Coordinates of all heavy atoms in Angstrom, one line a residue:
M1 N 130.8 32.4 -151.3 CA 129.7 33.2 -151.8 C 129.6 34.4 -150.9 O 129.6 34.4 -149.7 CB 128.5 32.3 -151.7 CG 127.2 33.0 -151.3 SD 125.6 32.1 -151.3 CE 125.9 30.7 -150.4
H2 N 129.7 35.6 -151.6 CA 129.6 36.8 -150.9 C 128.2 37.4 -151.0 O 127.6 37.5 -152.0 CB 130.5 37.9 -151.5 CG 130.5 39.2 -150.8 ND1 131.0 39.4 -149.6 CD2 129.9 40.4 -151.2 CE1 130.7 40.7 -149.2 NE2 130.0 41.3 -150.2
L3 N 127.6 37.6 -149.8 CA 126.2 38.2 -149.7 C 126.3 39.5 -149.0 O 127.1 39.6 -148.0 CB 125.3 37.2 -149.0 CG 125.1 35.8 -149.7 CD1 124.2 34.9 -148.8 CD2 124.4 36.0 -151.0
S4 N 125.5 40.4 -149.4 CA 125.4 41.7 -148.6 C 124.7 41.4 -147.3 O 124.0 40.4 -147.1 CB 124.6 42.7 -149.5 OG 123.2 42.3 -149.5
D5 N 124.8 42.4 -146.4 CA 124.1 42.3 -145.1 C 122.6 42.2 -145.3 O 122.0 41.4 -144.6 CB 124.5 43.5 -144.2 CG 125.9 43.5 -143.7 OD1 126.6 42.5 -143.9 OD2 126.3 44.5 -143.1
E6 N 122.1 42.9 -146.3 CA 120.7 42.8 -146.6 C 120.3 41.4 -147.0 O 119.2 40.9 -146.6 CB 120.3 43.8 -147.6 CG 120.4 45.3 -147.1 CD 119.7 45.6 -145.8 OE1 118.5 45.2 -145.7 OE2 120.3 46.2 -145.0
E7 N 121.1 40.8 -147.8 CA 120.8 39.4 -148.3 C 120.9 38.4 -147.1 O 120.1 37.5 -147.0 CB 121.8 39.0 -149.4 CG 121.5 39.8 -150.7 CD 122.6 39.6 -151.7 OE1 123.8 39.7 -151.4 OE2 122.2 39.3 -152.9
L8 N 121.9 38.6 -146.2 CA 122.1 37.7 -145.1 C 120.9 37.9 -144.1 O 120.6 36.9 -143.4 CB 123.4 38.1 -144.4 CG 124.7 37.7 -145.1 CD1 125.9 38.2 -144.4 CD2 124.8 36.2 -145.2
L9 N 120.3 39.0 -144.0 CA 119.2 39.2 -143.1 C 117.8 39.0 -143.8 O 116.8 39.2 -143.2 CB 119.2 40.6 -142.6 CG 120.4 40.9 -141.6 CD1 120.3 42.4 -141.2 CD2 120.3 40.0 -140.4
D10 N 117.8 38.5 -145.0 CA 116.6 38.2 -145.8 C 116.1 36.8 -145.5 O 116.4 35.9 -146.3 CB 116.8 38.5 -147.3 CG 115.6 38.3 -148.1 OD1 114.5 38.5 -147.5 OD2 115.7 38.0 -149.3
F11 N 115.4 36.6 -144.4 CA 114.9 35.3 -144.0 C 113.6 35.6 -143.3 O 113.4 36.7 -142.8 CB 115.9 34.5 -143.2 CG 116.4 35.2 -142.0 CD1 115.8 35.2 -140.8 CD2 117.7 35.8 -142.1 CE1 116.3 35.9 -139.7 CE2 118.2 36.5 -141.0 CZ 117.5 36.5 -139.8
D12 N 112.8 34.6 -143.1 CA 111.5 34.7 -142.4 C 111.8 34.7 -140.9 O 112.3 33.8 -140.3 CB 110.6 33.4 -142.8 CG 109.3 33.5 -142.1 OD1 108.9 34.6 -141.5 OD2 108.6 32.5 -142.1
T13 N 111.4 35.8 -140.3 CA 111.6 36.0 -138.9 C 110.4 35.6 -138.1 O 110.5 35.6 -136.8 CB 112.0 37.4 -138.5 OG1 110.9 38.3 -138.9 CG2 113.2 37.9 -139.2
G14 N 109.3 35.1 -138.7 CA 108.1 34.8 -138.0 C 108.2 33.7 -137.0 O 107.5 33.6 -136.0
A15 N 109.1 32.7 -137.3 CA 109.3 31.6 -136.4 C 110.4 31.8 -135.3 O 110.6 30.9 -134.5 CB 109.6 30.3 -137.2
L16 N 111.0 33.0 -135.3 CA 112.0 33.3 -134.4 C 111.4 33.9 -133.1 O 110.7 34.9 -133.1 CB 113.1 34.2 -134.9 CG 113.8 33.7 -136.2 CD1 114.8 34.8 -136.7 CD2 114.4 32.4 -136.0
D17 N 111.6 33.2 -132.0 CA 111.0 33.6 -130.7 C 111.6 34.9 -130.2 O 110.9 35.7 -129.5 CB 111.1 32.6 -129.6 CG 110.3 31.3 -129.9 OD1 109.3 31.4 -130.6 OD2 110.7 30.3 -129.4
D18 N 112.8 35.2 -130.5 CA 113.6 36.3 -129.9 C 114.2 37.2 -131.0 O 115.3 37.7 -130.8 CB 114.6 35.8 -128.9 CG 115.3 36.9 -128.1 OD1 114.6 37.9 -127.8 OD2 116.4 36.7 -127.7
W19 N 113.6 37.4 -132.1 CA 114.2 38.2 -133.2 C 114.1 39.7 -132.8 O 113.1 40.2 -132.4 CB 113.5 38.0 -134.5 CG 114.0 38.9 -135.6 CD1 113.4 39.9 -136.2 CD2 115.3 38.9 -136.1 NE1 114.2 40.5 -137.1 CE2 115.4 39.9 -137.1 CE3 116.5 38.1 -135.9 CZ2 116.5 40.1 -137.8 CZ3 117.6 38.3 -136.6 CH2 117.6 39.4 -137.6
D20 N 115.2 40.4 -133.0 CA 115.3 41.8 -132.7 C 116.2 42.3 -133.8 O 117.4 42.2 -133.8 CB 115.9 42.0 -131.4 CG 116.0 43.5 -131.0 OD1 116.1 44.4 -131.9 OD2 116.0 43.8 -129.8
E21 N 115.6 43.0 -134.8 CA 116.4 43.5 -136.0 C 117.4 44.5 -135.6 O 118.5 44.5 -136.1 CB 115.4 44.1 -137.0 CG 116.2 44.5 -138.3 CD 115.3 44.9 -139.4 OE1 114.1 44.7 -139.4 OE2 115.9 45.4 -140.4
A22 N 117.0 45.4 -134.6 CA 118.0 46.4 -134.1 C 119.3 45.7 -133.5 O 120.4 46.1 -133.8 CB 117.4 47.3 -133.1
R23 N 119.0 44.6 -132.8 CA 120.2 43.9 -132.2 C 121.0 43.2 -133.3 O 122.3 43.3 -133.2 CB 119.6 42.8 -131.2 CG 120.7 42.0 -130.5 CD 120.2 41.0 -129.5 NE 119.5 40.0 -130.3 CZ 118.4 39.4 -129.9 NH1 117.8 39.7 -128.7 NH2 117.8 38.5 -130.6
A24 N 120.3 42.7 -134.3 CA 121.1 42.0 -135.4 C 121.9 43.1 -136.1 O 123.1 42.8 -136.4 CB 120.1 41.3 -136.3
R25 N 121.3 44.2 -136.5 CA 122.1 45.2 -137.2 C 123.2 45.8 -136.4 O 124.3 46.1 -136.9 CB 121.1 46.3 -137.7 CG 120.2 45.8 -138.8 CD 119.5 46.9 -139.6 NE 118.6 46.3 -140.6 CZ 119.0 45.9 -141.7 NH1 120.3 46.0 -142.1 NH2 118.2 45.4 -142.6
A26 N 123.0 45.9 -135.0 CA 124.1 46.4 -134.2 C 125.2 45.4 -134.2 O 126.4 45.7 -134.1 CB 123.5 46.6 -132.8
A27 N 124.8 44.1 -134.2 CA 125.9 43.0 -134.2 C 126.7 43.1 -135.5 O 127.9 43.0 -135.5 CB 125.2 41.7 -134.0
L28 N 126.0 43.3 -136.6 CA 126.7 43.5 -137.9 C 127.7 44.6 -137.9 O 128.7 44.6 -138.5 CB 125.7 43.6 -139.0 CG 124.9 42.4 -139.4 CD1 123.8 42.7 -140.4 CD2 125.9 41.3 -140.0
G29 N 127.3 45.7 -137.2 CA 128.2 46.9 -137.2 C 129.1 46.9 -136.0 O 130.0 47.8 -135.9
G30 N 129.0 45.9 -135.1 CA 129.9 45.9 -133.9 C 131.2 45.2 -134.2 O 131.6 44.8 -135.3
E31 N 132.0 45.0 -133.1 CA 133.3 44.4 -133.2 C 133.3 43.0 -133.6 O 134.2 42.4 -134.1 CB 134.1 44.6 -131.9 CG 133.7 43.8 -130.8 CD 134.6 44.0 -129.6 OE1 134.6 45.1 -129.0 OE2 135.2 43.0 -129.1
D32 N 132.1 42.3 -133.4 CA 132.0 40.9 -133.8 C 131.2 40.8 -135.1 O 130.6 39.7 -135.4 CB 131.3 40.1 -132.7 CG 132.2 40.1 -131.5 OD1 133.4 39.7 -131.6 OD2 131.7 40.4 -130.4
G33 N 131.1 41.8 -135.9 CA 130.4 41.8 -137.2 C 130.8 40.7 -138.1 O 129.9 40.0 -138.7
A34 N 132.1 40.5 -138.2 CA 132.5 39.4 -139.1 C 132.1 38.0 -138.6 O 131.7 37.2 -139.4 CB 134.1 39.4 -139.3
L35 N 132.1 37.8 -137.3 CA 131.7 36.6 -136.7 C 130.2 36.4 -136.9 O 129.7 35.3 -137.3 CB 132.0 36.5 -135.2 CG 131.6 35.3 -134.5 CD1 132.2 34.0 -135.0 CD2 131.9 35.5 -133.0
Y36 N 129.4 37.4 -136.8 CA 128.0 37.3 -137.0 C 127.6 37.0 -138.4 O 126.8 36.2 -138.7 CB 127.3 38.6 -136.5 CG 125.8 38.5 -136.5 CD1 125.1 37.4 -136.1 CD2 125.0 39.6 -137.1 CE1 123.7 37.4 -136.1 CE2 123.6 39.5 -137.1 CZ 123.0 38.4 -136.7 OH 121.6 38.3 -136.7
R37 N 128.4 37.7 -139.4 CA 128.1 37.4 -140.8 C 128.4 35.9 -141.0 O 127.7 35.3 -141.8 CB 129.0 38.3 -141.6 CG 128.5 39.7 -141.8 CD 129.5 40.6 -142.6 NE 129.0 41.9 -142.6 CZ 129.3 42.8 -141.6 NH1 130.1 42.4 -140.6 NH2 128.8 44.0 -141.6
N38 N 129.5 35.4 -140.4 CA 129.8 34.0 -140.6 C 128.6 33.1 -140.0 O 128.2 32.1 -140.6 CB 131.1 33.6 -139.8 CG 131.4 32.2 -139.9 OD1 131.2 31.4 -138.9 ND2 132.0 31.7 -141.0
H39 N 128.0 33.5 -138.9 CA 126.9 32.8 -138.3 C 125.7 32.8 -139.3 O 125.0 31.8 -139.4 CB 126.5 33.4 -137.0 CG 127.5 33.1 -135.9 ND1 127.3 33.6 -134.6 CD2 128.7 32.5 -135.9 CE1 128.3 33.2 -133.8 NE2 129.2 32.5 -134.6
L40 N 125.5 34.0 -139.9 CA 124.4 34.0 -140.9 C 124.6 33.2 -142.1 O 123.6 32.6 -142.6 CB 124.1 35.5 -141.2 CG 123.7 36.4 -140.1 CD1 123.7 37.9 -140.6 CD2 122.3 36.0 -139.6
H41 N 125.8 33.1 -142.5 CA 126.2 32.1 -143.6 C 125.9 30.7 -143.2 O 125.3 29.9 -143.9 CB 127.6 32.3 -144.1 CG 127.9 33.4 -145.0 ND1 127.6 33.3 -146.4 CD2 128.3 34.7 -144.8 CE1 127.9 34.4 -147.0 NE2 128.3 35.3 -146.0
I42 N 126.3 30.3 -142.0 CA 126.1 29.0 -141.5 C 124.6 28.7 -141.4 O 124.2 27.6 -141.7 CB 126.8 28.8 -140.1 CG1 128.3 28.9 -140.3 CG2 126.4 27.5 -139.4 CD1 129.1 29.0 -138.9
A43 N 123.8 29.7 -140.9 CA 122.4 29.5 -140.8 C 121.8 29.2 -142.2 O 120.9 28.3 -142.3 CB 121.7 30.7 -140.2
L44 N 122.3 29.8 -143.2 CA 121.8 29.5 -144.6 C 122.1 28.1 -145.0 O 121.2 27.4 -145.5 CB 122.4 30.5 -145.6 CG 122.0 31.9 -145.6 CD1 122.9 32.8 -146.5 CD2 120.5 32.0 -146.1
H45 N 123.3 27.6 -144.6 CA 123.6 26.2 -144.9 C 122.7 25.3 -144.1 O 122.3 24.2 -144.6 CB 125.1 26.0 -144.6 CG 126.0 26.6 -145.7 ND1 126.2 26.1 -146.9 CD2 126.7 27.8 -145.6 CE1 127.0 26.9 -147.6 NE2 127.3 27.9 -146.8
L46 N 122.5 25.6 -142.9 CA 121.6 24.8 -142.0 C 120.2 24.7 -142.6 O 119.6 23.7 -142.6 CB 121.6 25.3 -140.6 CG 122.9 25.1 -139.8 CD1 122.8 25.8 -138.5 CD2 123.2 23.6 -139.6
D47 N 119.7 25.8 -143.1 CA 118.4 25.8 -143.8 C 118.4 24.9 -145.0 O 117.4 24.1 -145.1 CB 118.1 27.2 -144.4 CG 117.7 28.2 -143.3 OD1 117.4 27.8 -142.1 OD2 117.7 29.4 -143.6
R48 N 119.4 24.9 -145.8 CA 119.5 24.0 -146.9 C 119.5 22.5 -146.5 O 118.9 21.6 -147.1 CB 120.7 24.3 -147.8 CG 120.4 25.6 -148.6 CD 121.6 25.9 -149.6 NE 121.7 27.3 -149.7 CZ 122.8 28.0 -149.5 NH1 123.9 27.3 -149.1 NH2 122.9 29.3 -149.6
W49 N 120.3 22.3 -145.5 CA 120.5 20.9 -144.9 C 119.1 20.4 -144.4 O 118.7 19.3 -144.7 CB 121.5 21.0 -143.8 CG 121.9 19.7 -143.2 CD1 121.5 18.4 -143.6 CD2 122.9 19.5 -142.2 NE1 122.1 17.5 -142.8 CE2 123.0 18.1 -142.0 CE3 123.6 20.4 -141.4 CZ2 123.8 17.6 -141.0 CZ3 124.5 19.8 -140.4 CH2 124.5 18.5 -140.2
A50 N 118.4 21.3 -143.7 CA 117.1 20.9 -143.1 C 116.1 20.6 -144.3 O 115.4 19.6 -144.2 CB 116.5 22.0 -142.2
E51 N 116.1 21.4 -145.3 CA 115.3 21.1 -146.5 C 115.6 19.8 -147.1 O 114.7 19.0 -147.4 CB 115.4 22.3 -147.5 CG 114.8 23.6 -147.1 CD 115.0 24.7 -148.1 OE1 115.3 24.4 -149.3 OE2 115.0 25.8 -147.7
A52 N 116.9 19.5 -147.3 CA 117.3 18.2 -147.9 C 116.9 17.1 -147.0 O 116.4 16.1 -147.4 CB 118.8 18.2 -148.1
E53 N 117.1 17.2 -145.7 CA 116.7 16.1 -144.8 C 115.2 15.9 -144.8 O 114.7 14.8 -144.7 CB 117.1 16.5 -143.3 CG 118.6 16.3 -143.1 CD 119.1 14.9 -143.3 OE1 118.4 13.9 -142.9 OE2 120.2 14.7 -143.8
G54 N 114.4 17.0 -144.9 CA 113.0 16.9 -144.9 C 112.4 16.1 -146.2 O 111.3 15.6 -146.1
R55 N 113.2 16.1 -147.2 CA 112.8 15.4 -148.4 C 113.2 13.9 -148.4 O 112.8 13.2 -149.3 CB 113.5 16.1 -149.7 CG 112.9 17.4 -150.0 CD 113.4 17.9 -151.3 NE 114.8 18.0 -151.4 CZ 115.5 19.1 -151.1 NH1 114.9 20.2 -150.6 NH2 116.8 19.1 -151.2
R56 N 114.0 13.5 -147.5 CA 114.5 12.1 -147.4 C 113.3 11.2 -147.2 O 112.4 11.5 -146.5 CB 115.5 11.9 -146.3 CG 116.8 12.5 -146.6 CD 117.8 12.3 -145.5 NE 118.1 10.9 -145.4 CZ 118.9 10.4 -144.4 NH1 119.5 11.2 -143.6 NH2 119.1 9.1 -144.3
T57 N 113.4 10.0 -147.8 CA 112.3 9.0 -147.6 C 112.9 7.7 -147.0 O 112.2 6.8 -146.8 CB 111.7 8.6 -149.0 OG1 112.7 8.2 -149.9 CG2 111.0 9.8 -149.6
D58 N 114.2 7.7 -146.7 CA 114.8 6.5 -146.2 C 115.0 6.5 -144.7 O 115.6 5.7 -144.1 CB 116.2 6.3 -146.8 CG 117.2 7.4 -146.5 OD1 116.7 8.6 -146.3 OD2 118.4 7.2 -146.5
T59 N 114.3 7.4 -144.0 CA 114.4 7.5 -142.5 C 112.9 7.6 -141.9 O 112.0 8.0 -142.6 CB 115.2 8.7 -142.0 OG1 114.6 9.9 -142.5 CG2 116.6 8.7 -142.5
D60 N 112.8 7.3 -140.7 CA 111.6 7.3 -140.0 C 111.1 8.8 -139.9 O 111.9 9.7 -139.7 CB 111.8 6.8 -138.5 CG 110.6 6.9 -137.7 OD1 109.6 6.2 -137.9 OD2 110.6 7.8 -136.8
A61 N 109.8 9.0 -140.1 CA 109.2 10.4 -140.2 C 109.5 11.1 -138.9 O 109.8 12.3 -138.9 CB 107.8 10.3 -140.5
R62 N 109.3 10.5 -137.7 CA 109.5 11.2 -136.5 C 111.0 11.6 -136.3 O 111.3 12.7 -135.8 CB 109.1 10.3 -135.3 CG 107.6 10.2 -135.2 CD 107.1 9.4 -134.1 NE 107.7 9.6 -132.9 CZ 107.9 8.7 -131.9 NH1 107.4 7.5 -132.1 NH2 108.5 9.0 -130.8
Y63 N 111.9 10.7 -136.7 CA 113.3 11.0 -136.6 C 113.6 12.2 -137.5 O 114.3 13.1 -137.1 CB 114.2 9.8 -137.0 CG 115.6 10.1 -137.2 CD1 116.5 10.1 -136.1 CD2 116.1 10.4 -138.5 CE1 117.8 10.4 -136.3 CE2 117.5 10.7 -138.7 CZ 118.3 10.7 -137.6 OH 119.6 11.0 -137.8
R64 N 113.1 12.1 -138.7 CA 113.3 13.2 -139.7 C 112.8 14.5 -139.2 O 113.5 15.6 -139.3 CB 112.7 12.8 -141.1 CG 113.1 13.7 -142.2 CD 112.6 13.1 -143.5 NE 111.2 12.8 -143.6 CZ 110.7 11.5 -143.6 NH1 111.5 10.5 -143.6 NH2 109.4 11.3 -143.6
A65 N 111.6 14.5 -138.6 CA 111.1 15.7 -138.1 C 111.9 16.3 -137.0 O 112.1 17.5 -136.9 CB 109.6 15.5 -137.6
G66 N 112.4 15.5 -136.1 CA 113.2 16.0 -135.0 C 114.6 16.5 -135.5 O 115.1 17.5 -135.0
Y67 N 115.1 15.8 -136.5 CA 116.4 16.2 -137.1 C 116.3 17.6 -137.7 O 117.1 18.5 -137.5 CB 116.8 15.2 -138.1 CG 118.3 15.2 -138.4 CD1 119.2 14.5 -137.7 CD2 118.7 16.0 -139.5 CE1 120.6 14.5 -138.1 CE2 120.1 16.0 -139.9 CZ 121.0 15.3 -139.2 OH 122.3 15.3 -139.5
T68 N 115.2 17.8 -138.6 CA 115.1 19.0 -139.3 C 114.7 20.1 -138.3 O 115.2 21.3 -138.5 CB 114.0 18.9 -140.4 OG1 112.8 18.5 -139.8 CG2 114.4 18.0 -141.5
Q69 N 114.0 19.8 -137.2 CA 113.7 20.9 -136.2 C 115.0 21.3 -135.5 O 115.2 22.5 -135.2 CB 112.7 20.3 -135.2 CG 112.3 21.4 -134.2 CD 111.6 22.6 -134.8 OE1 110.6 22.4 -135.5 NE2 112.1 23.8 -134.5
A70 N 115.8 20.3 -135.2 CA 117.1 20.7 -134.5 C 118.0 21.6 -135.4 O 118.6 22.6 -135.0 CB 117.9 19.4 -134.2
L71 N 118.0 21.3 -136.7 CA 118.8 22.1 -137.6 C 118.2 23.5 -137.7 O 118.9 24.5 -137.7 CB 118.8 21.5 -139.0 CG 119.6 20.2 -139.2 CD1 119.4 19.5 -140.5 CD2 121.1 20.5 -139.0
A72 N 116.8 23.6 -137.8 CA 116.2 24.9 -137.8 C 116.4 25.7 -136.5 O 116.6 26.9 -136.6 CB 114.7 24.7 -138.1
D73 N 116.4 25.0 -135.4 CA 116.6 25.7 -134.1 C 118.0 26.3 -134.1 O 118.2 27.4 -133.6 CB 116.4 24.7 -132.9 CG 114.9 24.4 -132.7 OD1 114.0 25.1 -133.3 OD2 114.7 23.5 -131.9
M74 N 119.0 25.5 -134.5 CA 120.4 25.9 -134.5 C 120.5 27.2 -135.4 O 121.2 28.2 -135.0 CB 121.3 24.8 -135.0 CG 122.7 25.1 -134.8 SD 123.0 25.0 -133.0 CE 124.4 26.0 -132.9
A75 N 119.9 27.2 -136.6 CA 119.9 28.3 -137.5 C 119.3 29.6 -136.8 O 119.8 30.7 -136.9 CB 119.2 28.0 -138.8
A76 N 118.2 29.3 -136.1 CA 117.5 30.4 -135.4 C 118.4 31.0 -134.3 O 118.5 32.2 -134.1 CB 116.2 29.9 -134.8
F77 N 119.1 30.2 -133.5 CA 120.0 30.6 -132.5 C 121.1 31.5 -133.0 O 121.5 32.5 -132.5 CB 120.5 29.5 -131.6 CG 119.5 28.7 -130.9 CD1 119.7 27.4 -130.5 CD2 118.3 29.2 -130.5 CE1 118.8 26.6 -129.8 CE2 117.3 28.5 -129.9 CZ 117.6 27.2 -129.5
L78 N 121.7 31.0 -134.2 CA 122.8 31.8 -134.8 C 122.2 33.1 -135.3 O 122.9 34.2 -135.1 CB 123.3 31.0 -136.0 CG 124.1 29.7 -135.6 CD1 124.3 28.8 -136.8 CD2 125.5 30.2 -135.0
R79 N 121.1 33.2 -135.9 CA 120.5 34.4 -136.4 C 120.2 35.4 -135.3 O 120.2 36.6 -135.5 CB 119.3 34.1 -137.2 CG 119.6 33.5 -138.5 CD 118.4 33.2 -139.4 NE 118.8 32.9 -140.7 CZ 118.4 31.8 -141.4 NH1 117.5 30.9 -140.8 NH2 118.8 31.6 -142.6
Q80 N 119.8 34.9 -134.1 CA 119.4 35.7 -133.0 C 120.5 36.2 -132.1 O 120.3 36.7 -131.0 CB 118.3 35.0 -132.1 CG 117.0 34.8 -133.0 CD 116.0 33.9 -132.3 OE1 114.9 34.4 -132.1 NE2 116.4 32.7 -131.9
T81 N 121.7 36.0 -132.6 CA 123.0 36.5 -132.0 C 123.4 35.8 -130.7 O 124.2 36.2 -130.0 CB 123.0 38.0 -131.7 OG1 122.1 38.3 -130.6 CG2 122.6 38.8 -133.0
Y82 N 122.8 34.6 -130.4 CA 123.1 33.9 -129.2 C 124.5 33.4 -129.0 O 125.0 33.3 -127.9 CB 122.1 32.7 -129.0 CG 120.7 33.0 -128.8 CD1 119.8 32.0 -128.7 CD2 120.2 34.3 -128.7 CE1 118.4 32.2 -128.6 CE2 118.8 34.6 -128.6 CZ 118.0 33.5 -128.5 OH 116.6 33.8 -128.3
Y83 N 125.2 33.2 -130.1 CA 126.5 32.6 -130.0 C 127.6 33.7 -130.3 O 128.8 33.3 -130.5 CB 126.7 31.4 -131.0 CG 125.8 30.3 -130.6 CD1 124.7 29.9 -131.4 CD2 126.0 29.6 -129.4 CE1 123.9 28.9 -131.0 CE2 125.1 28.6 -129.0 CZ 124.1 28.2 -129.8 OH 123.3 27.2 -129.5
L84 N 127.2 34.9 -130.2 CA 128.3 36.0 -130.2 C 128.8 36.2 -128.8 O 128.0 35.9 -127.8 CB 127.7 37.3 -130.7 CG 127.3 37.3 -132.2 CD1 126.6 38.6 -132.5 CD2 128.5 37.0 -133.1
P85 N 130.0 36.7 -128.6 CA 130.5 37.0 -127.3 C 129.4 37.9 -126.5 O 129.0 38.9 -127.1 CB 131.8 37.7 -127.5 CG 132.3 37.1 -128.8 CD 131.0 37.0 -129.6
G86 N 129.1 37.5 -125.4 CA 128.1 38.3 -124.6 C 126.6 38.0 -125.0 O 125.7 38.6 -124.4
G87 N 126.4 37.0 -125.9 CA 125.0 36.7 -126.3 C 124.4 35.9 -125.2 O 125.0 35.4 -124.3
D88 N 123.1 35.8 -125.3 CA 122.3 35.1 -124.3 C 122.3 33.6 -124.5 O 122.2 33.1 -125.5 CB 120.8 35.6 -124.3 CG 120.7 37.0 -123.9 OD1 121.7 37.6 -123.4 OD2 119.7 37.6 -124.2

């Protein structure tokens, strides 16, 4: 699936503790732009996974909440450029 940079950056940033749009756009235009685009694609998949896990009824609610929070946190870290070379 090919998404434009605008589509890849179209997500709710309200829950991100360290969102910096200028940093994200610089990453897209930098030497690791392809890697960051890959991270943004992975974050989309993690979002879908978290949504699916949240709908499950065959697991303990506390386990499910922790699992979906971990997936959401991972997506947030990827979006905030933490896993790029030189990221925090």
Side-chain angles (χ1 to χ4, degrees):
M1 146 175 46
H2 178 74
L3 297 173
S4 71
D5 290 351
E6 294 306 315
E7 291 170 313
L8 289 171
L9 292 175
D10 184 23
F11 52 85
D12 180 13
T13 60
L16 302 179
D17 291 336
D18 187 29
W19 175 247
D20 182 334
E21 185 172 348
R23 182 179 67 218
R25 292 196 180 275
L28 286 170
E31 73 177 64
D32 295 311
L35 178 60
Y36 185 47
R37 283 178 187 85
N38 178 260
H39 289 182
L40 293 172
H41 277 279
I42 293 168
L44 287 171
H45 288 280
L46 291 171
D47 287 345
R48 288 187 212 121
W49 187 2
E51 288 175 23
E53 286 296 322
R55 291 189 301 270
R56 287 181 63 181
T57 58
D58 63 332
T59 60
D60 176 74
R62 288 180 44 209
Y63 170 84
R64 190 171 51 252
Y67 197 92
T68 57
Q69 183 63 53
L71 292 169
D73 288 348
M74 193 70 208
F77 296 157
L78 288 165
R79 287 179 168 129
Q80 293 173 123
T81 72
Y82 291 178
Y83 295 114
L84 293 177
D88 295 344

